[in-house]
Amino acid sequence: MFLQRSAWAGICFLGAVAWQSGPLALACGLGTWVGTQWGLRYGTREECEDGLHGYNGALAGIGVLVVLPPGPLAWGLVVVLAWLVTWLAQVWRRHGPLSPYTAPFILATWLLMIIASAAGWPAPVAGTSAVMGDGLMAWAQGTLRGVGQVMFLDDLGAGALCILGLSLSRPGAALCAVLASALTLLAALAAGFPGDAASLGLYGFNAVLTAEALRQALPGRWGALCLGVLASLGLMRGFQVLELPSLTAPFVLATLLVRQLSRTLSFFKA
C-alpha cells in the first residue's frame, strides 16, 4: 500500500491497522490473502513476492469495513471485492501503459458505496473522535495522521507504526512521507482549508503516496514530485467541495498526470 517491497514493512503496516482496530486488521489480512492466492494461480510468483497482487485486496478489505459493519455480508464482500480488484489490477497491468496503483480499489469501493446507499445497508458505528492538540502539537499530530490515513487510520500510534515500517524498508521513503504529510498540512492551513480535516491528516495521505510513487518513477525530478504533491492536495480539496468520497483518487490522478507530462515536458527531466 505504501509502494514498498519489504515484508518487515508489511508487518508494521498490518500492526498499525491492528493497533487501531482488530476487525480492520482481519479484513486487511483476508483481502491480502485472497489477492495473493489469485496471483499465485493467474499471475507470476515474482509479482506475488513483490506484493503486487495483495495491496489492492488489502485496501478493499479495509474499505468494506469502512462502509459496512462487521458481519456475514461484510466478510463475504471482502472476499468478492479482493478478488475483483486483483483481477482488475492484473488486466490494467497487462494492457495499460502505467501502473494501476490503487485505481481498482477506488472503483470497487465507490461501487460498493453506491450499492450500500441505494440498498439502505447499515453503516458502521462511528468510532471515538480523535483528540486534537494545539499549535505545534496539532501540526505533529496531523503529520502522523497524514501517513496513517493511507490505510484509513487516524490513531497517532498507527501513524507512527507506518513510519517505522517505511524506515525499515527505505529510510528515504520514511523521510519523504513525513515531509509530504507535514508540508501538505501547512499548505492546506495556509490556503484556508478546513482545519479539522487538516488535523485528521485528510490532506496528507494522498500527498504521501504521490510523493513516494513519483520518487520511484521519476528519481531526481523534484519539480515533478512537488507538482504532483500540490496537485494531489488540490484534487483532494476538490473532492471535499463536491462532497464526494475521494479515497486515494487524488493520488492516482496526480501521479498519472505528472508521469504523463514528464514524457513530453523537458522541465521535468532536469
Side-chain angles (χ1 to χ4, degrees), residues 33-270:
W33 182 81
V34 170
T36 302
Q37 291 302 309
W38 189 97
L40 287 172
R41 183 169 183 178
Y42 299 104
T44 68
R45 180 165 293 277
E46 181 180 3
E47 289 173 337
C48 289
E49 291 175 352
D50 284 344
L52 295 180
H53 293 295
Y55 72 92
N56 270 292
L59 280 171
I62 296 174
V64 169
L65 290 200
V66 170
V67 177
L68 299 171
L73 175 62
W75 295 116
L77 285 172
V78 168
V79 174
V80 172
L81 288 191
W83 176 88
L84 175 61
V85 298
T86 305
W87 173 75
L88 285 174
Q90 179 76 331
V91 172
W92 189 317
R93 197 174 291 114
R94 291 288 184 264
H95 302 287
L98 298 174
S99 170
Y101 294 117
T102 58
F105 148 72
I106 296 165
L107 296 174
T109 306
W110 277 345
L111 178 61
L112 175 62
M113 289 177 173
I114 293 170
I115 294 173
S117 177
W121 289 347
V125 177
T128 305
S129 298
V131 178
M132 304 295 182
D134 296 313
L136 185 60
M137 180 59 70
W139 178 71
Q141 291 176 343
T143 298
L144 280 175
R145 291 185 177 119
V147 179
Q149 287 284 8
V150 169
M151 298 187 294
F152 303 94
L153 307 175
D154 59 17
D155 185 275
L156 297 178
L161 282 171
C162 289
I163 294 173
L164 174 61
L166 289 169
S167 299
L168 292 175
S169 175
R170 296 178 182 175
L175 178 61
C176 186
V178 171
L179 288 176
S181 180
L183 295 177
T184 305
L185 172 59
L186 291 178
L189 293 175
F193 295 171
D196 55 346
S199 297
L200 284 171
L202 298 182
Y203 296 115
F205 71 96
N206 278 291
V208 167
L209 290 171
T210 302
E212 181 59 20
L214 292 176
R215 192 179 74 90
Q216 293 183 20
L218 305 172
R221 302 183 190 179
W222 301 110
L225 190 151
C226 291
L227 178 62
V229 166
L230 291 176
S232 73
L233 174 60
L235 288 165
M236 181 65 191
R237 182 56 183 154
F239 274 95
Q240 285 184 333
V241 171
L242 295 174
E243 298 184 348
L244 297 173
S246 69
L247 303 177
T248 54
F251 147 61
V252 174
L253 293 173
T255 301
L256 294 181
L257 173 63
V258 171
R259 288 190 63 180
Q260 189 62 40
L261 287 174
S262 72
R263 295 182 171 186
T264 56
L265 300 182
S266 60
F267 169 76
F268 294 120
K269 298 178 182 179

